[in-house]
Amino acid sequence: QKEVEQDPGPLSVPEGAIVSLNCTYSNSAFQYFMWYRQYSRKGPELLMYTYSSGNKEDGRFTAQVDKSSKYISLFIRDSQPSDSATYLCAAGFQKLVFGTGTRLLVSP
Amino acid sequence: NAGVMQNPRHLVRRRGQEARLRCSPVKGHSHVYWYRQLPEEGLKFMVYLQKENIIDESGMPKERFSAEFPKEGPSILRIQQVVRGDSAAYFCASSPPTGGQPQHFGDGTRLSIL
């Protein structure tokens, strides 16, 4: 079993839709959780960074961590074509463990 | 503010040659991390360094791969006697010396082995 599991997609939605991206993890020692966005041929760009359980909101993005079920989520409201990218969840501290990424396609 | 700078962006080597990948962290960041991304796979941790010290190299292949972060200058990931399986995107990330801060990534070096 991989330490961080993520559905690879692709996930296709129309512009304006609410997008839900999810990951599960197996290591209960993980305390820090991150979401990165990666455009083609570019490096991962940090979107959200949370410590332990709870919600964190930043503009159109909301990150949720449920440590009891080892489940992390990213919600994108009012999705835009420019949100089309691969979204990577990660857990850990100095040694990050990444999911394989979910490819999101937002059509105009 | 400059982010993490990696060079070269693309590197082509023939089998058996050496590859040197450079990473300049964000100004003020003293922690550097290297990750490898193979096609259709997620990023895999390779090594974590602080200035002049290797802190965690648990993800580094046992042979041919080495990394350093000298007191002055960029961090270097060195791959000796490259093989076709080394073809991948190599990403560097950095974080500040204060604890609990996230890692910020560069745009990577894409290594192709002929």
Side-chain angles (χ1 to χ4, degrees):
Chain A
Q1 182 188 10
K2 292 182 180 179
E3 282 192 284
V4 177
E5 299 265 12
Q6 186 174 10
D7 188 330
L11 176 62
S12 295
V13 301
E15 183 176 355
I18 296 175
V19 175
S20 172
L21 302 166
N22 308 292
C23 289
T24 58
Y25 65 94
S26 58
N27 189 340
S28 57
F30 287 150
Q31 295 283 352
Y32 292 90
F33 304 91
M34 287 128 276
W35 284 95
Y36 288 86
R37 177 174 63 193
Q38 187 175 24
Y39 292 109
S40 179
R41 317 297 283 180
K42 302 288 279 185
E45 171 193 3
L46 181 68
L47 283 177
M48 300 293 282
Y49 177 65
T50 55
Y51 172 72
S52 195
S53 283
N55 292 0
K56 186 172 183 179
E57 187 173 323
D58 185 1
R60 296 186 295 113
F61 299 91
T62 300
Q64 283 186 354
V65 176
D66 182 346
K67 293 196 73 179
S68 63
S69 59
K70 298 188 178 69
Y71 201 79
I72 52 181
S73 302
L74 178 71
F75 299 96
I76 307 174
R77 291 182 296 280
D78 187 25
S79 56
Q80 303 294 310
S82 58
D83 294 327
S84 297
T86 296
Y87 289 79
L88 306 169
C89 61
F93 186 38
Q94 282 122 357
K95 178 180 176 179
L96 296 183
V97 180
F98 281 84
T100 52
T102 298
R103 188 174 168 212
L104 172 66
L105 302 170
V106 181
S107 55
Chain B
N1 283 335
V4 175
M5 303 301 291
Q6 291 188 249
N7 67 80
R9 291 295 311 280
H10 303 275
L11 182 61
V12 179
R13 286 287 179 265
R14 297 188 181 279
R15 281 176 293 171
Q17 291 184 321
E18 178 181 287
R20 281 183 176 245
L21 288 63
R22 295 176 188 78
C23 169
S24 296
V26 174
K27 187 175 181 181
H29 287 193
S30 58
H31 298 192
V32 165
Y33 315 81
W34 286 92
Y35 293 82
R36 177 164 62 176
Q37 187 173 41
L38 293 167
E40 307 305 321
E41 293 189 20
L43 284 91
K44 304 291 186 187
F45 169 83
M46 298 180 75
V47 63
Y48 161 39
L49 310 106
Q50 295 178 15
K51 286 283 187 180
E52 300 184 283
N53 284 301
I54 297 173
I55 307 302
D56 182 348
E57 57 181 346
S58 58
M60 288 280 270
K62 299 300 181 188
E63 297 177 346
R64 303 187 297 108
F65 285 71
S66 62
E68 63 176 7
F69 188 19
K71 187 176 180 180
E72 301 291 337
S75 175
I76 305 289
L77 178 67
R78 181 183 179 203
I79 311 172
Q80 294 178 289
Q81 298 177 314
V82 297
V83 301
R84 288 250 170 90
D86 297 331
S87 296
Y90 292 82
F91 290 96
C92 172
S94 71
S95 66
T98 50
Q101 297 300 311
Q103 297 176 24
H104 295 268
F105 284 79
D107 280 336
T109 293
R110 279 155 184 83
L111 176 64
S112 297
I113 309 302
L114 301 180

